Amino acid sequence: MTAAVLCVGTELVRGEIVNTNATWLCEQLTALRHEVVETLAVADDEKEIIAALTRLGQRYDLVISTGGLGPTTDDITSACVAKLLSVPLVRDEAGVAALKQRFVQAGRTFYESNIKQLDFPQGAHPLPNEVGTAPGFSVTIGKALAFFVPGVPAEMKPMFECSIRPQLASLVQGGEHQVRLKTFGMAEAAVGELLTGVEEQFAVTLGYRAHFPEIEVKVLARDASQSSAEERANGAARVVRERLGQIVFAEGDVTLAQSVGRLLSARGLTLGLAESCTGGLISHLVCERPASDYFLGSVVCYANQIKEQVLGVNPDLLRDKGAVSAEVAEQMALGARRVLGADVGLAVTGIAGPSGGSSEKPVGLVHYAVATPAGVMLSQTQFPRSRDQVRLHAAYSALMLVRRALG
Amino acid sequence: MTAAVLCVGTELVRGEIVNTNATWLCEQLTALRHEVVETLAVADDEKEIIAALTRLGQRYDLVISTGGLGPTTDDITSACVAKLLSVPLVRDEAGVAALKQRFVQAGRTFYESNIKQLDFPQGAHPLPNEVGTAPGFSVTIGKALAFFVPGVPAEMKPMFECSIRPQLASLVQGGEHQVRLKTFGMAEAAVGELLTGVEEQFAVTLGYRAHFPEIEVKVLARDASQSSAEERANGAARVVRERLGQIVFAEGDVTLAQSVGRLLSARGLTLGLAESCTGGLISHLVCERPASDYFLGSVVCYANQIKEQVLGVNPDLLRDKGAVSAEVAEQMALGARRVLGADVGLAVTGIAGPSGGSSEKPVGLVHYAVATPAGVMLSQTQFPRSRDQVRLHAAYSALMLVRRALG
């Protein structure tokens, strides 16, 4: 079953709001194994709405349209559908009575403009709206089964769940399974080269998504049954993991910080941080998900006086080697262990830019140290990009070092 | 000039990422007074990409396409354009040499798959990519001037700014000026009500953009000349500022943390943080822009033992009042001042959720304290949303408290 999502609203094509409805609907339809071929947004404009629906009805089995069902003059989707199908709009008088009743019960003023929302193209099947005032409806346009739902997400989503999902779930044959592997530390081109031949070997589709600084590898299998699709996707994912090795840090929606947290929790270890150039970013990434099992805290030592006075870094070392050095990183990591009472101390110091670099220590140079009960492990990177990118890359590199230190 | 935005990427039609590129491009084009009639997203599929480009080239004067320019096998936009135009792909050998040179200078490994990104449809005009490895290009398709840019926002946006905006700006007559005011602390509907009548009084257009937790108010004026447009937009912006008062924290691209930093720097004051539930987020927001003028550091005291041992919070107080209390917030702020040697200490403690709430102290309750040479100022918020939203709202509320404390 091929599908398209149409979102109606001038605010979308003017860039005034992000189209999260399209994303949500695509995600639901994909999970229900309908293949969304395109999503489209058009203004509240009769000519454009009719042109879009006509074209989508010729091409796809399923169309879901959001928006333009409300009470104001710019809400014209129902009228456009009626015109396109050459049928009149017919008022659902029972619906009007029920809506008035709801307003009375809620003690709200009923405005006559609400009545327009109960006008449906003749032959349409209404979809109830339990949350708001605009019902949806379904009709056939061309070869497509077309559903019309409100643009307000809080109304659209329950309507999809109650009235659309059950119909769609019953329409699709066969199985599909996708495995998503998250990587850090290798360019997209290099990851792609390492996976040459996997698509052919397993008859899967590989997709790549660069979400800086991660590269996600998606392994998608379709087959006659769900179980055979899963088997094939999982088989291919095993080979992908083998070929990519340590750069794979997690599967699905697990974050890098979470993957580190799981390794620490499994060993009963706590984590403390000493952050200079990352300025709290690692701590923030750790705390995005609940972390009190293993995370104690962080000393963000942006100024050198904090490195000395709070973390106990030797002032002579700061003067002789500079704040951005392996030696200071090591003392910061040991200081984080001691001051925060943590089993594992992780430290980062570097030059985020845009200024502060020199020929000897250029913007993008970052030193890392992780101190564990077993000793200290050091690393460094040289990644000359924008300030945001240097900092995010450094935060990821630091967390990857903890993974390495824990084996 | 009518325009369309095409976004290429299987991840978009599968609902795996929100299409913020389309929103951003629509916003830019609208501000440049091009009328975006539709936006479209299609999978990495030759047939669909060619069909979409053919159709858009017949209908519109301008097409901007994002995505599908990278090094992996699923990046096929350039090949589709060549096929559609019946021209070969031609390698930009000088571009390949320059790219290799960039890799050598950065000490990075050059992969052969990167070369594919320098293959352009014959006759295309390359658009340089200063950030990543995939250049864009422009060609004529049907009646449309078509631009092809990468899907990675950090590469797409600079390319638009450097290579596309100047071309598009020259196509439209008259003057236009927009003032963007950033606010925090009031709902969008309430902000809108406070500004009733401003549009009519100054003949400007007001736009609202909710970018959680900020509401941005855009004041747009168009006129025969640039100077008269600027005068009118600035006049209206002054009235908007007066009506909105303290919730306006910055103009343009200035961040809330930057606005706080400017107030501190102007007074020669330094800042130290004590963060519990925000877990380093405030520190991260502060360090997004260079901050060494005023920012010393932060103690992220996620565990209570850090509040006691590093910040010196009284253990009896932690036991009797709980970590989430005005009293503990106050001691944390005083501790941040003392331990970090800062003029201003800012502290946050709260319940970010999803668990850890009680009827007395529900998820979303956050206490704030700011300690200055003049004394301590306290506040609290109760904002029961998702963990991410509670934390971001708390970080903003905390920084707003510093603004208030500084007058």
Side-chain angles (χ1 to χ4, degrees):
Chain A
M1 296 274 294
T2 59
V5 172
L6 169 66
C7 299
V8 176
T10 300
E11 67 277 16
L12 295 168
V13 291
R14 287 181 61 89
E16 290 164 4
I17 61 168
V18 175
N19 192 350
T20 56
N21 278 348
T23 309
W24 191 85
L25 284 168
C26 286
E27 196 181 357
Q28 308 309 312
L29 293 174
T30 300
L32 289 164
R33 282 175 292 146
H34 292 265
E35 185 194 349
V36 182
V37 180
E38 66 175 284
T39 75
L40 187 69
V42 300
D44 299 303
D45 177 289
E46 183 184 282
K47 189 166 85 29
E48 294 304 324
I49 296 170
I50 291 178
L53 285 171
T54 305
R55 184 172 68 80
L56 300 180
Q58 286 161 359
R59 295 196 73 193
Y60 305 110
D61 304 313
L62 174 67
V63 172
I64 300 196
S65 166
T66 71
L69 301 183
T72 51
T73 50
D74 59 352
D75 293 308
I76 58 172
T77 302
S78 303
C80 290
V81 174
K83 189 163 182 180
L84 159 64
L85 296 176
S86 303
V87 298
L89 283 170
V90 178
R91 182 153 301 168
D92 173 10
E93 296 291 355
V96 173
L99 189 61
K100 280 185 176 166
Q101 178 69 13
R102 265 173 65 192
F103 270 70
V104 169
Q105 281 174 350
R108 291 169 59 191
T109 310
F110 185 85
Y111 295 97
E112 291 302 306
S113 56
N114 279 315
I115 292 177
K116 160 174 174 285
Q117 300 170 100
L118 281 303
D119 291 347
F120 298 101
Q122 195 173 54
H125 303 283
L127 309 172
N129 184 337
E130 305 295 346
V131 180
T133 54
F137 61 90
S138 66
V139 293
T140 300
I141 296 178
K143 69 171 187 171
L145 173 59
F147 292 93
F148 293 83
V149 297
V152 178
E155 301 181 19
M156 181 275 284
K157 292 178 185 179
M159 193 178 288
F160 182 90
E161 295 298 343
C162 296
S163 302
I164 302 179
R165 183 188 292 283
Q167 277 195 63
L168 298 190
S170 64
L171 292 176
V172 180
Q173 305 295 312
E176 174 180 292
H177 190 65
Q178 180 168 270
V179 178
R180 288 158 49 216
L181 299 173
K182 297 168 87 172
T183 77
F184 170 75
M186 200 177 275
E188 184 175 342
V191 173
E193 287 195 9
L194 281 177
L195 300 182
T196 306
V198 172
E199 289 186 311
E200 297 75 8
Q201 187 186 345
F202 289 91
V204 295
T205 305
L206 294 185
Y208 301 88
R209 188 167 76 93
H211 181 68
F212 185 84
E214 304 177 3
I215 306 287
E216 186 178 84
V217 180
K218 297 175 291 182
V219 183
L220 176 69
R222 294 203 171 102
D223 214 324
S225 77
Q226 184 60 26
S227 63
S228 57
E230 282 176 23
E231 198 175 309
R232 216 138 43 65
N234 290 331
R238 265 193 301 278
V239 171
V240 170
R241 272 184 178 278
E242 277 168 29
R243 292 210 192 164
L244 298 183
Q246 294 200 344
I247 69 164
V248 178
F249 62 80
E251 188 172 326
D253 288 320
V254 175
T255 67
L256 173 56
Q258 260 184 314
S259 81
V260 171
R262 289 177 183 183
L263 290 175
L264 289 163
S265 296
R267 289 163 173 77
L269 298 172
T270 57
L271 176 68
L273 307 174
E275 301 190 61
S276 184
C277 67
T278 48
L281 176 55
I282 303 177
S283 181
H284 167 56
L285 294 174
V286 165
C287 295
E288 278 188 325
R289 308 279 168 99
S292 45
D293 275 1
Y294 67 95
F295 182 59
L296 298 183
S298 174
V299 174
V300 179
C301 47
Y302 208 64
N304 280 351
Q305 67 198 73
I306 310 297
K307 295 183 183 74
E308 285 180 37
Q309 291 161 18
V310 181
L311 290 171
V313 174
N314 185 337
D316 297 340
L317 206 60
L318 277 168
R319 193 192 53 229
D320 297 342
K321 300 287 181 179
V324 180
S325 62
E327 291 83 356
V328 167
E330 176 169 7
Q331 289 210 355
M332 285 168 58
L334 293 167
R337 274 198 82 195
R338 190 179 59 247
V339 172
L340 301 171
D343 300 312
V344 175
L346 173 65
V348 183
T349 179
I351 299 164
S355 61
S358 65
S359 58
E360 202 188 337
K361 296 186 178 180
V363 167
L365 174 68
V366 184
H367 285 276
Y368 311 89
V370 60
T372 69
V376 176
M377 188 180 274
L378 303 174
S379 73
Q380 72 176 75
T381 56
Q382 169 49 31
F383 188 74
R385 305 291 169 89
S386 72
R387 181 178 175 87
D388 285 349
Q389 291 189 319
V390 169
R391 296 174 71 236
L392 199 51
H393 184 268
Y396 269 66
S397 300
L399 289 166
M400 291 297 274
L401 182 63
V402 178
R403 286 178 58 91
R404 244 174 69 202
L406 297 176
Chain B
M1 298 274 294
T2 59
V5 172
L6 169 66
C7 299
V8 176
T10 301
E11 67 276 18
L12 294 168
V13 291
R14 289 179 62 90
E16 291 164 3
I17 60 168
V18 174
N19 191 351
T20 55
N21 278 348
T23 309
W24 190 85
L25 285 168
C26 287
E27 197 181 357
Q28 308 311 312
L29 293 174
T30 301
L32 289 165
R33 284 174 291 153
H34 293 264
E35 186 195 350
V36 183
V37 180
E38 66 174 281
T39 75
L40 186 68
V42 301
D44 299 301
D45 179 287
E46 182 184 285
K47 190 164 88 21
E48 294 304 326
I49 295 170
I50 292 178
L53 284 172
T54 304
R55 184 173 68 79
L56 299 180
Q58 286 161 358
R59 295 195 73 193
Y60 305 110
D61 305 311
L62 174 67
V63 172
I64 299 195
S65 166
T66 70
L69 301 184
T72 50
T73 51
D74 58 354
D75 293 308
I76 58 173
T77 302
S78 303
C80 291
V81 173
K83 189 162 183 180
L84 158 63
L85 297 176
S86 305
V87 297
L89 283 171
V90 178
R91 183 154 301 168
D92 172 9
E93 297 292 355
V96 173
L99 188 62
K100 281 186 176 165
Q101 179 69 9
R102 264 172 67 193
F103 271 69
V104 168
Q105 281 175 350
R108 292 168 61 191
T109 312
F110 185 85
Y111 295 95
E112 291 302 306
S113 53
N114 278 317
I115 292 177
K116 156 173 178 289
Q117 301 171 100
L118 281 302
D119 291 346
F120 298 102
Q122 195 173 55
H125 303 282
L127 309 172
N129 185 337
E130 305 296 345
V131 180
T133 55
F137 61 90
S138 66
V139 293
T140 300
I141 296 179
K143 69 171 187 173
L145 173 59
F147 292 93
F148 293 83
V149 296
V152 177
E155 301 181 19
M156 181 275 284
K157 291 178 185 180
M159 194 178 289
F160 183 90
E161 295 298 344
C162 296
S163 302
I164 303 180
R165 183 187 293 281
Q167 276 195 62
L168 299 189
S170 66
L171 296 174
V172 180
Q173 301 298 309
E176 176 180 288
H177 190 66
Q178 180 168 269
V179 178
R180 289 156 50 217
L181 298 173
K182 297 169 87 172
T183 78
F184 171 76
M186 199 177 277
E188 184 174 343
V191 173
E193 288 199 7
L194 280 178
L195 301 182
T196 306
V198 172
E199 289 187 310
E200 296 76 7
Q201 188 186 341
F202 289 91
V204 294
T205 305
L206 294 185
Y208 301 89
R209 190 168 74 94
H211 180 69
F212 185 85
E214 303 176 4
I215 307 286
E216 185 178 82
V217 180
K218 296 176 291 184
V219 183
L220 176 70
R222 290 193 176 119
D223 215 321
S225 77
Q226 185 61 25
S227 63
S228 57
E230 281 176 23
E231 195 176 313
R232 218 137 42 63
N234 290 331
R238 265 193 300 277
V239 171
V240 169
R241 273 184 177 276
E242 276 167 29
R243 293 208 191 163
L244 298 183
Q246 294 201 341
I247 68 165
V248 177
F249 63 79
E251 186 172 327
D253 288 321
V254 174
T255 68
L256 174 55
Q258 259 184 315
S259 80
V260 171
R262 289 177 183 184
L263 290 176
L264 289 164
S265 297
R267 288 165 175 75
L269 298 172
T270 58
L271 177 69
L273 307 174
E275 301 190 59
S276 184
C277 67
T278 47
L281 175 56
I282 302 177
S283 181
H284 166 57
L285 295 174
V286 166
C287 295
E288 279 186 324
R289 307 281 168 98
S292 46
D293 275 0
Y294 67 97
F295 182 57
L296 298 182
S298 174
V299 175
V300 178
C301 47
Y302 209 62
N304 280 351
Q305 68 198 70
I306 309 296
K307 296 183 183 71
E308 284 178 38
Q309 290 161 16
V310 180
L311 290 171
V313 175
N314 184 340
D316 297 341
L317 206 61
L318 277 168
R319 193 190 55 230
D320 297 343
K321 300 287 181 178
V324 180
S325 62
E327 291 83 354
V328 167
E330 177 170 5
Q331 289 211 353
M332 285 168 58
L334 292 168
R337 272 198 84 194
R338 191 179 58 247
V339 172
L340 301 171
D343 300 312
V344 175
L346 173 65
V348 183
T349 178
I351 299 163
S355 61
S358 66
S359 58
E360 203 188 334
K361 295 185 177 179
V363 167
L365 174 67
V366 183
H367 286 277
Y368 311 88
V370 60
T372 69
V376 176
M377 189 181 273
L378 302 174
S379 73
Q380 71 176 75
T381 55
Q382 169 50 33
F383 188 75
R385 305 291 169 88
S386 71
R387 181 178 175 85
D388 284 349
Q389 292 189 318
V390 169
R391 295 174 72 235
L392 199 50
H393 185 270
Y396 269 67
S397 300
L399 289 168
M400 290 296 273
L401 182 62
V402 179
R403 284 177 60 89
R404 243 174 69 204
L406 297 177

